[in-house]
Structure formats: structure tokens, C-alpha cells
Amino acid sequence: DGGITQSPKYLFRKEGQNVTLSCEQNLNHDAMYWYRQDPGQGLRLIYYSQIVNDFQKGDIAEGYSVSREKKESFPLTVTSAQKNPTAFYLCASSEQAWSTDTQYFGPGTRLTVL
Amino acid sequence: AQTVTQSQPEMSVQEAETVTLSCTYDTSESDYYLFWYKQPPSRQMILVIRQEAYKQQNATENRFSVNFQKAAKSFSLKISDSQLGDAAMYFCAYRSADDMRFGAGTRLTVKP
């Protein structure tokens, strides 16, 4: 089955720690995205990648970092610089970036800072 | 920056009846897509329907249809014959060649 997987489903972090959220897709999509969802709000774009070894900041990139060493993988690191990291994080992919292609989403990771 | 507005934080519908969710957007682009996504309690975002801005005909997917008014920048979702499984958060989204925006969502409750 083709799709997007995210792990872990739930993640707990102590203040001051960096954590990495995993996102893998086997859809052979070029583009991948990371969104943050807070209660009562829509999705906000953190980072996106149009192609391997390339990525761009979204609207709320501060305190986050990404890498794109393989086409199928786009991990997100939440650093200690992120002031309020508790949120639901969604990864998405599309055939091409910014071509009006439909984005398909993974099941998400719920991050809680203790 | 483009904005997407969903003015109804919550909506309720009786099972088997019809409900319409509203969405307006602001853009100066001529080429864009509009989407409705459903997010059930599992929180998986599921594509419900999409509309290409250049198409005048409203998109339809089984019980889901849209009313796309390009001049008014309005994109409403109609759910016919509502089912209990339709209960979820619904997000309207706008996508252009260099931007993707989501509305704040409408929580739909379906009453048996």
C-alpha cells in the first residue's frame, strides 16, 4: 500500500531537549511538507522540500530544522529554541511542489512538552 | 498573503439531512485549487473534494458537492444524506503555485 507514515504517534519531550519526528512516504512524490496544528486553528506550514537536498522555510520555521537526504524521508527536528512546541504535527507530500497538486497527509504526531 | 476564512466554528446536522459549510478566500491569483479536507477524531487528514479555479463546473464526489463562486471568492461544501461517519473537523484549503493556506476549520456534529 502506498502512503505516508509518521512516527511516533505520541511523543513527550522535556524542556531543553531536541526531538525528531519521522515522516516517510512511498508514493514517489517529489515534494514533502511539515505542518503544525494547534487547537482551534488550521494548519500552518513549518518547512517544505521540493526535491532531495533542498528545503525552504514556511511561515513558522523558527525553532525547527529539517533534512531531505532521501526522496522518501523528511524528518523534522523540534529544537529547544522552539518556545511552545506542544502541538499536533502533520507531514504531507505531493507529486510536485507548488504545482497545485493535491497534498496527501500522514496520520500525525502529537508532541507534548513536559 | 492569501487568507482562507471559515466563519462557522461549529455546525450540526440531523442524520440523513443536508448541511452546507462555508468558506471564503482572498487571492489575486487566477490559477489555483481549492480543497475540502476532513479530519475525523483519528486526526488523519482526508481529502474530500477539490476544485480547479479555471473550471466553472462545480465538483461533485458522491454525497459531497461544492458551490464555487469565483467572483465572490466563495467555496462552500454541501453534504447530502449526512451520515454519522461524516462527523469531523472540515478544513477548507487554498493552493496556488507558491502558497498553501488552510482555514481554521468547522466542527460538524451529526445527530442520530
Side-chain angles (χ1 to χ4, degrees), chain A residues 37 59 98 102-103 105, chain B residues 37 39 44 50 95 97 101:
Chain A
Q37 185 179 22
D59 295 328
W98 308 131
T102 299
Q103 292 187 356
F105 288 83
Chain B
Y37 282 93
Q39 189 179 45
Q44 172 83 55
R50 71 177 191 175
R95 181 180 173 109
R101 298 283 163 181

Side-chain angles (χ1 to χ4, degrees), chain B:
Chain B
Q2 281 70 240
T3 58
V4 178
T5 302
Q6 293 179 249
S7 59
Q8 307 152 316
E10 296 183 356
M11 290 285 286
S12 179
V13 64
Q14 203 71 33
E15 193 176 5
E17 294 190 348
T18 297
V19 64
T20 299
L21 308 184
S22 301
C23 173
T24 59
Y25 59 95
D26 180 33
T27 185
S28 57
E29 302 284 342
S30 58
D31 184 21
Y32 54 89
Y33 274 52
L34 297 164
F35 304 86
W36 279 98
Y37 282 93
K38 169 185 177 181
Q39 189 179 45
S42 67
R43 305 203 74 174
Q44 172 83 55
M45 292 283 281
I46 302 165
L47 177 67
V48 174
I49 198 167
R50 71 177 191 175
Q51 173 79 43
E52 297 91 329
Y54 65 86
K55 288 188 177 180
Q56 293 186 342
Q57 187 173 6
N58 289 325
T60 300
E61 287 288 342
N62 300 314
R63 297 182 295 108
F64 299 88
S65 62
V66 299
N67 183 6
F68 174 47
Q69 302 289 328
K70 190 172 184 178
K73 296 187 173 66
S74 171
F75 183 60
S76 61
L77 174 69
K78 185 171 82 171
I79 306 174
S80 304
D81 186 24
S82 297
Q83 301 175 358
L84 296 177
D86 294 334
M89 284 289 290
Y90 286 82
F91 291 95
C92 178
Y94 161 98
R95 181 180 173 109
S96 67
D98 60 0
D99 198 11
M100 179 86 180
R101 298 283 163 181
F102 288 82
T106 296
R107 181 175 301 282
L108 177 66
T109 302
V110 181
K111 297 178 180 178

Side-chain angles (χ1 to χ4, degrees), chain A residues 48-90:
Chain A
Y48 67 96
S49 169
Q50 300 182 61
I51 198 169
V52 174
N53 293 322
D54 176 76
F55 47 83
Q56 306 294 329
K57 292 181 179 180
D59 295 328
I60 54 166
E62 185 175 352
Y64 300 97
S65 66
V66 293
S67 63
R68 186 88 186 274
E69 297 177 0
K70 298 185 295 183
K71 187 176 184 177
E72 58 270 25
S73 178
F74 190 41
L76 173 74
T77 296
V78 185
T79 75
S80 56
Q82 169 51 234
K83 298 284 188 259
N84 183 23
T86 294
F88 188 64
Y89 291 85
L90 284 160

Side-chain angles (χ1 to χ4, degrees), chain A residues 8-99:
Chain A
K9 187 173 181 179
Y10 299 98
L11 185 57
F12 298 90
R13 189 194 93 172
K14 293 181 180 178
E15 286 198 25
Q17 283 184 337
N18 292 354
V19 289
T20 297
L21 284 59
S22 169
C23 178
E24 305 275 334
Q25 55 98 359
N26 61 5
L27 301 168
N28 200 33
H29 285 172
D30 284 330
M32 298 185 74
Y33 313 81
W34 274 105
Y35 291 93
R36 170 178 172 143
Q37 185 179 22
D38 294 285
Q41 297 189 35
L43 280 63
R44 292 184 291 167
L45 183 64
I46 305 172
Y47 267 98
Y48 67 96
S49 169
Q50 300 182 61
I51 198 169
V52 174
N53 293 322
D54 176 76
F55 47 83
Q56 306 294 329
K57 292 181 179 180
D59 295 328
I60 54 166
E62 185 175 352
Y64 300 97
S65 66
V66 293
S67 63
R68 186 88 186 274
E69 297 177 0
K70 298 185 295 183
K71 187 176 184 177
E72 58 270 25
S73 178
F74 190 41
L76 173 74
T77 296
V78 185
T79 75
S80 56
Q82 169 51 234
K83 298 284 188 259
N84 183 23
T86 294
F88 188 64
Y89 291 85
L90 284 160
C91 178
S93 72
S94 65
E95 286 192 45
Q96 301 174 34
W98 308 131
S99 65

